[in-house]
C-alpha cells in the first residue's frame, strides 16, 4: 500500500514540477544565449593585435585597400602579410606588434587570424554582389572602424539575411543589379529563391 | 496473472515450407524465431560488477564534464591568408592557362581552369585552330590523373613483377648512366608517336650521346594505311586536310568521322556547320557505308550495311557507275577505266553478293552514286583508317574522278615528325632481344607490353633483356615486366610543345608544381646525357630552358615576327599556340595506273568469312587512361555499356550461333584467342564481330585493373605493324556468362510494349527535309497546347532556357563528360550502374526505330528540364526543390531528407539520388582519398549520402556571370557564359541563354517551327526546347 502513495506523489506532484522547471529553464537559456550561440559579441584574441580603429577609423584607410577582392569575387579575402608590409616596412618598425608581423613575413608564414564570420558550407555568399549594389561593409559587419579588437556584430542567420533582402536598399546609380530585383518604389530587393545562395 | 503456455499454430505458405516445418528437415529457425542461445535467460554470474545505478551515474558525470569543456561555442576556427599572394591568383576567381593535350597524338589545344593554384577543369583552347575550344572525353577526364593516389610517388625497383623497394633518383641515375656507359650492347628507346619538335630534338641528342640507342615508335591506332594508299595514288605527299565546312556530301566507308576518326572534333564541327536550321535547303548529306554500327552510322542520313571484305569491290563499282554509266570523269580516259573495271559494275556487284535483294541494293547504291554525281566537286568519299590500302587507293581515284579533290585544303598539311617504326624492324628487335643482344630497353612513357600485338612476343623477349626501365606516371604492364619504374610528370605539370600540322605549333606549360617526386621525361633523358659527361644532373628548369632555346633558335626565326623573342614567347605561351602560313605543295593529279594496281587479280567472288573488326575504345582509345573512373563509366555512345568491352555482333549472327547478351565467348584468330562477352548490336552486318581495345588491363591502378577484356591477342603483325581487320575468326560459346551493364535497356526493341515508345509518346519527333519543305508545320502541328488551373508566373528579368538542336547532336557524350567534371559527379562503379544508380546529370538517350537489322537511330540528350510547372517541386515534403524567379529549378541539398518522391514524380527520370556516398565503395574507397578534394569545383557542393541531385543549368556559372556583369555595370549579354555541356559540345548543339532577351539565340529557338518539348502534354512546361531532326534523305 505504501508503494502506491509514493508513486502517486511522484507522478502527480514532483514530476510536473520538475518538467515545468526544466522547460522554463531550457527556454530561457535557449533564447537568452541566442546571441552567444550565434556568435554576436564574439571577439577572440588575434595573433597580432591589429586595430581597425586605428587603420580604418583614425587613418581612414579604405576597406578595399586590404580586402582587395571584395568587389570582384565572392570572397572579401583577408589581406596577405605583404599588404601590411606595404607600409610597415617603414612605419612603426619599433613597435612589438610590427616586429611580430615582420617576423611572420620574413619567415614566409601565413598569419593565423582567428575567424569571426563564417557561413556553413552549403551557403554560397557573394561579397561582390552586395558591395556592387551599394551596401556598405558596416551594414553587416558593424562599425568596424570603431573596433579596437574586431567583434562580431552579425548573427549571420538565414532569417537575418532574408530580412534585409525583403527590406530592400536604395538603388545606387547603377543600371543593373545581378540577382536583385528593382521594386516599384525604386528600391533594390535581394533574391529570395533558394538557388541564389544554396547551390 | 499467469499465462498458460498455448499450443502454437504454424502457418505455411506453400508445400516446401510445410515440409520444412513438419518434415524431417526441421530447421530450428522456423519454429524458434531466435537464433540458438538468444532466448535463454542470461547467466547472472557472467555480468560485470558495475551496477545499473553506478553505470548511469558514471555516464551523467562524464556528460557533465564534456559539456563544461565546450566553452568556445562561437569559435569559427582560423582564417589563413597568403603571406605573399602570387600575383596571378585572385581568391574566388579562376585563372586560366593554355596548354596542349598529350592523351593521344592529336595534340589538341587545352584551356585549363585553376582556382587558387589548383587545376580543376580542362576545356579546349578556343584559340587553337584545330579543336577551337572543344576537347574529347579523355581531355576532360584526364585531370583526374593528376590527383590520383595510384600515381607513382618516387622511383621503384620491380621485384617479382610487383613494386619492390623504393629508390632515389640518384640511385636510378647512377645505375642507368652506368649501364649506358659500360654496356655497349644495343639499347632500345621505345615511345609512342612523337609529336613534339623539342622532344624529337631531345631524343636525337640522346641518340648522339649514346650511339648504341635506337628509337622505336608505335601507336595502336594510326593513319598508316591511308598514307600508304595516298603514296600509291599520288606518288608523294601526305593525305590532305579537308575543308569540312564546304563539303556538301560525305560518304564515309567504315569511317567514324563524328566519333573517333582523325580530328573528329574538327570534322564534327565542320559537318555540323553544314546542318544549320537557318539554311535547311543547304543541309549537307551524310552517307555511311559500314559493317559495324558507329556514331557516324547512327547519325547518317543514309546508312548502308556492308561487310568490310566487300568495301573494295563496292568502291570499284562506284567508280564504274560514275565514270562508265554516268560519264562523269574528272581525269579523263573513260574507255581505259571501263576496261580495267570489267565485271566490277554495280549490277554485277549486287548480283554477286546480294542475290536475295538485288533490286533493293541496286536502288540504294544508285542513289549513292546519284548523290556523288550531284555533289561532285563539293563532296568527299572517305575511307576509314582501318580499311586496307587498296581501298584508299580506289577512294582517292574516285574522289579525283568526281573532282572532289577541290575539297582538299591547299594552305595546310599534316606533319609527321618521327615516322612510326615498321613491323619488320620490330620483329628484328624482338629477335635481337631473344638472342640476348639487347642490353637495355627504355619505355619512354609508353606501354608496349600492353599495346603491341601479343603475337610479337614482346613480353617474353623482355625477360632476356638485362635492364628494362619504364618512365610512366603510374604502374603499367610494361613497368611490371621490367626492373625499374620512374615517375614522370602529369601533363598539367609538364612543359612541352607539339606540331601535328604545318605552321601550327602549340605549347604546353605546367599549371601546378609537381605533386610527387616525378620528373619531366624529356628532362630525364637530357640529365642522363649530362651525367654521362660528368656534368650536373636533373633540374626542373633544364627542359624549360631547352624548350625555350629550341623555340628561339629553330621556330622563332620561321615566324619573321615583328617583336623580339621574349614577347613572342610570352604571347605563344599565353595563347597556347603560334600559327603561321606555310605554302603547301599542290596535290597534283592522281596516278591513273593506280586503279589497275588495286583491282583484284582473282575473278572469284570474295568469300565472306567471320571477320573481326578491332577499334579504338570510344573514350579509352588505347587504354592509357583505363584507371580513370569517369571514362570507364561514360556509357558507350552506341551500346551504352559501361565498365566493359564486348564482342558486338548482329542479331542474325547471334541467333545463328545461339548467343544471348552477356554470353561469354571465345574468339579465336590466327594469333590467339580471347574470352569476351557478347553484345547484340542492332544495325551490324552479319559475319562481323567488333571489339574495342583499351580495356582488360592487368596493371593500371585500382580502378582500371581487370575491367573488360584485352583483345590485342587478336592483333596480327603486318606492315605497318597494326592491322585491325582480322578475317577467318571462330566464335564459340563457353557456356559461362559475363553480365554487361548498359545504362539503356538491352532489349530496347524486343519488348512490344516499349517498341517505338519514343515515337508513340512523341519524345522523338523527326522528319525529312523534303517533307518539312512541303509541310512547314510538320513539327508545329504536333505541339500540345496545354492549360492549367493556376495562373502562370510572370517572369520579369532573366528567364534561363536551353535549346538542343537534334540535327547537330551526334550522341558523342562529351556533354556528360564535361558535366561530370564541372559538378563533382561521383563514380559509382559497375554494380551500382546495374541498379540504374549512375549519377550523371545529363545523359544521351538512344532510340532505335524500325527494322532491328537496319534501324533508324535517334539520340537525345536528356537533362533536368527545369519545368515551370515542375512535378518534382510540389511533392517535396521539405521544400528542398523550388522554382526560382528566373525559371530555374533550384536544389537545396541541405534541406533534402531523401524521400525520393521528387525523383518518383519526374517524368524524365533525371533526378539522381545518392544512395551511398559512392566514393566509399568504388575501388575500396579509392575516391575518398584526400587528394581528390583538390579536384572538386569549389563553386559546387559535394553531395553526400542521402540527397537528390540533378542538373542545375550550371547555376554557379549563371551566378558568376551575373555578378561579373553587375560589376561591369550591365546586364548579362547573350554569349557571356556557357553551361559546361554547351561549352563541351563539339557541334554546338546546345544553346543556352536568357529567353527574355529578344535578341538572344535561345529566344529565337524557343519559338522555332521545328522546336518541341518532350512530354509537354503533361503540362509540366519544360524549359528545354528540342529542335527536331530533319534527315536529309534522297528517298522520302
Amino acid at each position: 500500500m505504501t508503494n502506491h502513495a509514493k508513486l502517486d506523489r511522484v507522478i502527480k506532484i514532483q514530476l510536473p514540477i520538475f518538467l515545468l522547471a526544466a522547460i522554463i529553464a531550457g527556454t530561457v537559456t535557449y533564447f537568452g544565449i541566442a546571441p552567444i550561440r550565434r556568435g554576436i559579441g564574439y571577439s577572440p584574441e588575434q595573433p597580432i593585435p591589429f586595430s581597425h580603429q586605428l587603420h580604418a577609423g583614425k587613418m581612414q584607410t579604405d576597406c578595399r585597400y586590404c580586402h582587395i577582392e571584395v568587389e570582384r569575387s565572392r570572397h572579401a579575402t583577408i589581406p596577405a602579410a605583404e599588404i601590411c608590409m606595404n607600409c610597415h616596412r617603414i612605419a612603426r618598425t619599433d613597435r612589438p606588434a610590427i616586429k611580430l608581423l615582420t617576423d611572420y613575413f620574413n619567415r614566409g608564414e601565413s598569419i593565423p587570424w582567428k575567424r569571426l564570420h563564417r557561413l556553413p558550407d552549403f551557403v554560397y555568399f557573394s561579397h561582390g554582389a552586395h558591395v556592387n549594389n551599394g551596401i556598405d561593409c558596416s551594414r553587416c559587419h558593424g562599425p568596424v572602424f570603431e573596433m579596437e579588437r574586431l567583434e562580431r556584430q552579425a548573427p549571420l542567420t538565414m532569417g537575418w539575411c532574408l530580412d534585409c533582402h525583403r527590406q530592400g536598399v536604395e538603388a545606387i546609380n547603377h543600371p543593373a543589379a545581378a540577382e536583385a530585383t528593382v521594386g516599384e518604389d525604386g528600391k533594390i530587393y535581394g533574391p529570395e529563391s533558394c538557388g541564389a545562395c544554396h547551390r | 496473472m499467469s499465462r498458460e503456455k498455448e499450443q502454437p499454430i504454424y502457418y505455411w505458405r506453400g508445400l516446401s515450407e510445410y515440409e520444412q516445418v513438419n518434415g524431417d528437415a526441421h530447421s530450428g529457425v522456423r519454429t524458434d524465431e531466435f537464433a540458438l542461445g538468444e532466448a535463454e535467460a542470461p547467466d547472472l554470474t557472467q555480468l560485470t560488477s558495475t551496477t545499473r545505478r553506478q553505470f548511469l551515474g558514471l555516464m551523467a558525470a562524464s556528460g557533465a564534464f564534456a559539456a563544461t569543456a565546450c566553452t568556445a561555442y562561437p569559435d569559427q576556427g582560423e582564417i589563413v591568408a597568403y603571406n605573399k599572394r602570387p600575383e596571378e591568383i585572385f581568391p574566388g576567381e579562376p585563372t586560366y592557362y593554355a596548354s596542349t593535350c598529350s592523351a593521344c597524338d592529336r595534340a589538341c589545344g587545352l584551356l585549363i581552369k585553376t582556382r587558387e593554384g589548383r587545376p580543376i577543369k580542362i576545356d579546349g583552347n578556343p584559340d587553337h585552330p584545330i579543336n577551337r575550344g572543344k576537347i574529347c572525353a579523355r581531355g576532360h577526364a584526364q585531370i583526374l590523373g593528376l590527383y590520383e593516389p595510384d600515381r607513382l610517388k618516387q622511383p621503384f625497383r620491380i621485384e617479382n613483377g610487383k613494386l619492390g623497394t623504393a629508390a632515389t633518383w640518384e640511385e636510378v641515375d647512377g645505375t642507368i648512366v652506368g649501364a649506358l656507359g659500360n654496356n655497349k650492347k644495343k639499347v632500345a628507346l621505345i615511345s609512342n608517336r612523337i609529336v613534339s619538335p623539342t622532344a624529337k630534338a631531345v631524343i636525337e641528342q640522346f641518340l648522339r650521346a649514346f650511339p648504341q640507342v635506337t628509337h622505336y615508335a608505335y601507336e595502336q591506332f594510326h593513319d598508316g594505311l591511308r598514307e600508304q594508299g595516298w603514296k600509291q595514288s599520288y606518288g608523294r605527299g601526305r593525305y590532305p586536310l579537308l575543308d569540312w565546312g564546304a563539303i556538301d556530301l560525305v560518304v564515309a566507308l567504315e569511317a567514324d568521322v563524328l566519333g573517333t576518326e582523325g580530328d573528329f572534333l574538327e570534322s564534327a564541327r565542320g559537318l555540323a556547320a553544314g546542318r544549320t536550321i537557318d539554311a535547311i535547303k543547304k543541309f549537307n548529306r551524310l552517307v555511311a557505308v559500314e559493317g559495324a554500327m558507329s556514331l557516324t552510322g547512327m547519325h547518317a542520313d543514309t546508312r548502308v550495311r556492308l561487310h568490310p571484305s566487300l568495301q573494295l569491290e563496292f568502291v570499284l563499282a562506284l567508280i564504274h557507275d560514275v565514270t562508265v554509266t554516268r560519264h562523269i570523269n574528272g581525269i579523263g580516259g573513260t574507255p581505259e577505266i571501263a576496261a580495267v573495271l570489267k565485271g566490277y559494275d554495280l549490277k554485277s556487284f549486287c548480283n554477286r553478293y546480294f542475290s536475295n535483294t538485288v533490286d533493293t541494293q541496286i536502288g540504294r547504291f544508285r542513289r549513292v552514286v546519284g548523290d556523288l554525281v550531284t555533289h561532285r566537286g563539293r563532296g568527299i568519299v572517305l575511307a576509314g583508317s582501318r580499311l586496307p590500302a587498296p581501298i584508299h587507293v580506289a577512294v582517292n581515284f574516285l574522289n579525283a574522278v568526281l573532282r572532289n579533290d577541290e575539297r582538299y585544303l591547299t594552305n595546310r598539311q599534316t606533319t609527321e615528325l618521327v615516322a612510326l617504326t615498321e613491323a619488320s624492324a620490330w620483329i628484328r628487335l624482338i629477335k635481337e632481344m631473344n638472342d640476348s643482344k639487347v642490353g637495355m630497353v627504355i619505355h619512354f612513357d609508353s606501354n608496349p607490353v600492353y599495346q603491341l600485338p601479343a603475337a610479337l612476343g614482346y613480353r617474353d623477349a623482355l625477360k632476356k633483356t638485362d635492364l628494362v626501365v619504364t618512365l610512366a606516371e603510374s604502374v603499367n604492364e610494361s613497368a611490371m615486366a621490367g626492373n625499374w619504374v620512374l615517375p614522370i610528370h602529369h601533363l598539367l605539370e609538364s612543359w612541352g610543345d607539339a606540331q601535328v600540322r604545318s605552321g601550327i605549333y602549340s605549347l604546353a606549360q605546367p599549371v601546378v608544381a609537381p605533386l610527387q617526386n616525378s620528373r619531366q621525361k624529356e628532362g630525364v633523358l637530357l640529365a642522363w646525357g649530362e651525367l654521362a659527361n660528368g656534368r650536373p644532373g636533373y633540374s626542373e628548369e633544364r627542359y624549360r630552358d631547352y624548350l625555350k632555346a629550341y623555340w628561339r633558335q629553330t621556330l622563332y626565326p620561321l615566324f619573321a615576327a615583328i617583336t623580339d623573342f621574349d614577347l613572342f614567347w610570352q604571347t605563344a605561351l599565353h595563347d597556347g599556340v603560334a600559327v603561321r602560313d606555310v605554302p603547301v605543295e599542290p596535290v597534283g593529279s592522281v596516278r591513273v595506273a593506280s586503279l589497275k594496281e588495286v583491282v583484284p587479280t582473282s575473278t572469284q567472288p570474295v568469300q565472306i568469312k567471320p571477320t573481326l573488326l578491332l577499334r579504338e575504345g570510344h573514350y579509352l582509345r588505347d587504354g592509357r587512361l583505363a584507371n580513370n573512373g569517369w571514362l570507364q563509366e561514360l556509357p558507350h555512345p552506341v551500346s551504352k555499356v559501361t565498365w566493359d568491352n564486348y564482342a558486338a555482333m548482329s542479331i542474325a549472327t547471334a541467333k545463328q550461333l545461339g548467343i544471348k547478351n552477356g554470353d561469354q565467348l571465345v574468339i579465336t584468330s590466327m594469333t590467339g584467342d580471347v574470352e569476351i562477352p557478347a553484345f547484340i548490336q542492332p544495325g551490324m552486318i552479319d559475319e562481323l564481330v567488333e571489339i574495342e581495345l583499351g580495356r582488360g588491363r592487368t596493371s593500371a591502378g585500382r580502378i582500371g585493373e581487370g575491367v573488360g577484356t584485352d583483345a590485342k591477342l587478336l592483333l596480327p603483325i603486318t606492315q605497318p605493324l597494326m592491322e585491325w581487320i582480322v578475317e577467318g575468326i571462330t566464335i564459340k560459346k563457353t557456356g559461362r556468362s559475363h553480365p554487361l551493364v548498359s545504362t539503356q535497356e538491352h532489349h530496347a526493341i524486343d519488348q512490344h510494349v516499349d517498341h517505338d515508345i519514343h515515337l508513340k509518346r512523341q519524345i522523338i519527333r523527326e522528319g525529312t527535309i523534303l517533307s518539312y519543305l512541303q509541310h512547314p508545320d510538320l513539327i508545329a502541328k504536333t505541339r500540345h497546347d496545354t492549360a492549367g488551373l493556376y495562373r502562370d508566373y510572370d517572369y520579369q528579368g532573366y528567364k534561363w532556357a536551353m535549346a538542343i538542336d537534334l540535327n547537330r547532336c551526334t550522341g558523342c557524350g562529351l556533354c556528360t563528360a564535361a558535366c561530370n567534371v564541372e559538378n563533382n559527379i561521383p563514380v559509382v562503379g559497375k554494380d551500382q550502374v546495374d541498379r540504374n544508380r549512375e549519377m550523371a546529370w545529363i545523359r544521351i538517350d538512344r532510340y532505335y526505330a524500325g527494322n532491328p537489322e537496319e534501324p533508324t537511330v535517334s539520340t537525345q540528350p536528356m537533362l533536368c528540364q527545369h519545368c515551370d510547372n515542375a512535378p518534382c517541386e510540389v511533392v517535396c515534403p521539405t521544400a528542398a526543390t523550388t522554382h526560382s524567379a528566373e525559371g530555374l529549378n533550384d536544389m537545396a541539398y541541405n534541406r533534402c531528407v531523401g524521400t525520393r518522391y521528387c525523383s518518383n514524380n519526374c517524368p524524365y527520370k533525371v533526378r539522381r539520388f545518392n544512395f551511398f556516398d559512392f566514393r566509399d565503395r568504388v575501388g575500396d574507397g579509392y575516391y575518398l582519398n584526400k587528394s581528390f578534394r583538390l579536384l572538386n569545383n569549389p563553386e559546387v557542393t559535394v553531395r553526400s549520402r542521402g540527397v537528390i541531385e540533378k542538373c542545375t543549368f550550371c547555376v554557379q556559372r549563371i551566378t558568376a556571370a551575373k555578378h561579373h556583369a553587375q560589376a561591369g555595370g550591365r546586364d548579362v549579354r547573350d554569349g557571356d557564359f556557357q553551361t559546361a555541356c554547351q561549352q563541351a559540345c563539339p557541334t554546338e548543339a546546345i544553346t543556352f541563354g536568357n529567353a527574355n532577351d529578344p535578341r538572344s539565340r535561345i529566344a529565337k529557338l524557343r519559338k522555332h517551327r521545328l522546336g518541341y518539348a518532350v512530354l509537354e502534354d503533361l503540362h509540366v512546361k519544360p524549359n528545354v526546347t528540342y529542335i527536331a531532326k530533319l534527315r536529309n534523305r534522297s528517298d522520302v
Side-chain angles (χ1 to χ4, degrees), chain B residues 720-1015:
Chain B
L721 187 62
M722 302 287 180
E723 201 174 281
W724 304 275
I725 303 180
V726 184
E727 289 181 4
I729 55 163
T730 54
I731 306 165
K732 277 208 263 299
K733 285 166 64 169
T734 59
R736 277 171 276 131
S737 73
H738 178 103
L740 292 170
V741 172
S742 156
T743 59
Q744 203 105 45
E745 304 275 308
H746 286 305
H747 39 267
I749 294 190
D750 292 342
Q751 304 271 51
H752 66 94
V753 171
D754 285 10
H755 190 85
D756 288 345
I757 194 165
H758 56 295
L759 297 170
K760 288 184 199 138
R761 292 298 304 269
Q762 294 184 313
I763 295 170
I764 298 282
R765 295 177 216 184
E766 289 179 348
T768 62
I769 302 220
L770 285 175
S771 57
Y772 175 66
L773 290 172
Q774 278 163 14
H775 307 282
D777 63 342
L778 181 73
I779 300 298
K781 69 173 189 274
T782 65
R783 300 298 310 259
H784 292 262
D785 207 3
T786 53
L789 289 174
Y790 301 99
R791 233 198 335 257
D792 286 341
Y793 184 83
D794 185 22
Y795 290 96
Q796 307 286 349
Y798 298 109
K799 173 83 161 75
W800 302 111
M802 182 182 275
I804 300 183
D805 190 346
L806 295 176
N807 288 293
R808 290 166 166 242
C809 173
T810 60
C812 65
L814 295 184
C815 49
T816 310
C819 176
N820 285 354
V821 185
E822 171 79 13
N823 293 299
N824 310 328
I825 310 260
V827 175
V828 308
K830 182 176 172 181
D831 58 323
Q832 294 297 314
V833 178
D834 201 16
R835 291 171 172 80
N836 296 349
R837 290 177 184 171
E838 68 274 7
M839 294 304 287
W841 289 0
I842 182 169
R843 62 174 193 261
I844 308 284
D845 284 340
R846 172 222 65 208
Y847 298 100
Y848 292 122
N851 175 10
E853 298 277 1
E854 290 191 325
T856 313
V857 192
S858 313
T859 56
Q860 184 179 58
M862 183 49 65
L863 66 163
C864 173
Q865 308 279 296
H866 292 266
C867 311
D868 281 339
N869 196 13
C872 58
E873 289 164 6
V874 292
V875 296
C876 178
T878 56
T881 184
T882 53
H883 217 66
S884 83
E886 294 180 354
L888 233 55
N889 175 282
D890 290 332
M891 185 66 211
Y893 304 110
N894 40 307
R895 283 190 79 95
C896 178
V897 289
T899 315
R900 305 195 288 286
Y901 199 160
C902 58
S903 177
N904 196 36
N905 234 20
C906 175
Y908 310 96
K909 290 290 170 275
V910 285
R911 284 180 158 269
R912 320 307 310 174
F913 184 65
N914 284 283
F915 283 93
F916 306 106
D917 188 5
F918 294 119
R919 292 171 182 86
D920 54 4
R921 318 202 132 219
V922 177
D924 281 326
Y926 187 74
Y927 289 107
L928 278 179
N929 209 289
K930 289 210 180 106
S931 59
F932 287 119
R933 290 192 201 168
L934 299 170
L935 169 58
N936 287 333
N937 184 350
E939 299 299 314
V940 177
T941 306
V942 178
R943 289 80 54 194
S944 74
R945 190 184 63 218
V947 296
I948 284 269
E949 59 186 57
K950 65 173 184 71
C951 163
T952 56
F953 268 176
C954 275
V955 66
Q956 69 276 11
R957 292 189 180 203
I958 296 176
T959 310
K962 285 197 290 194
H963 291 164
H964 284 138
Q966 179 195 29
R970 56 172 179 78
D971 283 325
V972 176
R973 286 193 285 255
D974 197 29
D976 261 356
F977 73 98
Q978 295 181 310
T979 57
C981 49
Q982 181 188 16
Q983 188 182 15
C985 179
T987 53
E988 307 280 2
I990 299 180
T991 309
F992 183 81
N994 177 11
N996 274 353
D997 178 1
R999 293 160 304 174
S1000 67
R1001 179 135 178 86
I1002 183 65
K1004 298 192 183 76
L1005 287 175
R1006 260 160 88 85
K1007 296 204 273 286
H1008 202 278
R1009 270 184 314 192
L1010 284 174
Y1012 71 96
V1014 174
L1015 296 177

Side-chain angles (χ1 to χ4, degrees), chain A residues 36-37 39 42 68-69 71-75 77-82 104-105 107-118 122 124 126 128-129 132-133 152 174-179 193-196 198-199, chain B residues 73-85 89-93 115-116 798 879-880 882-886 890-894 938-942 955-956 959 962-971:
Chain A
I36 301 174
R37 270 191 296 112
Y42 175 52
I68 54 177
E69 287 297 315
E71 279 172 323
R72 278 174 50 126
S73 142
R74 282 208 298 120
H75 312 290
T77 68
I78 299 294
E82 200 180 27
Y104 269 113
F105 180 73
R107 277 204 311 269
E109 254 180 52
S110 299
I111 305 168
W113 300 106
K114 294 293 292 176
R115 189 166 184 168
L116 268 78
H117 303 91
R118 191 190 185 115
F122 47 80
Y124 291 84
S126 168
N132 287 326
N133 267 322
R152 177 160 147 175
H174 217 289
E179 301 262 2
S193 55
C194 307
H198 297 291
R199 48 181 160 91
Chain B
Y73 187 89
D75 187 357
Q76 307 289 352
E78 289 174 344
I79 181 164
V80 184
Y82 282 109
N83 180 286
K84 289 184 197 59
R85 181 181 65 88
I89 292 185
F90 304 96
E93 292 289 299
R115 273 290 296 264
E116 288 95 40
Y798 298 109
T882 53
H883 217 66
S884 83
E886 294 180 354
D890 290 332
M891 185 66 211
Y893 304 110
N894 40 307
E939 299 299 314
V940 177
T941 306
V942 178
V955 66
Q956 69 276 11
T959 310
K962 285 197 290 194
H963 291 164
H964 284 138
Q966 179 195 29
R970 56 172 179 78
D971 283 325

Side-chain angles (χ1 to χ4, degrees), chain B residues 18 115 137 142 203 362 435 469 478 543 804 832 836 964 994:
Chain B
Y18 184 77
R115 273 290 296 264
Q142 70 182 317
I203 291 176
I362 290 185
D435 291 341
V469 177
S478 303
Y543 186 60
I804 300 183
Q832 294 297 314
N836 296 349
H964 284 138
N994 177 11

Side-chain angles (χ1 to χ4, degrees), chain A residues 130-198:
Chain A
H130 292 78
V131 167
N132 287 326
N133 267 322
I135 296 170
D136 191 62
C137 314
S138 52
R139 189 161 172 140
C140 301
H141 294 287
V144 171
F145 41 84
E146 284 171 10
M147 297 178 190
E148 179 67 33
R149 192 168 86 183
L150 206 60
E151 183 189 298
R152 177 160 147 175
Q153 300 278 313
L156 298 182
T157 55
M158 179 168 163
W160 174 77
C161 293
L162 277 180
D163 279 342
C164 190
H165 277 210
R166 286 170 178 149
Q167 197 180 37
V169 292
E170 295 300 324
I172 59 173
N173 208 7
H174 217 289
E179 301 262 2
T181 47
V182 183
E184 280 114 32
D185 50 0
K187 290 171 88 173
I188 298 183
Y189 295 89
E192 287 183 73
S193 55
C194 307
C197 311
H198 297 291

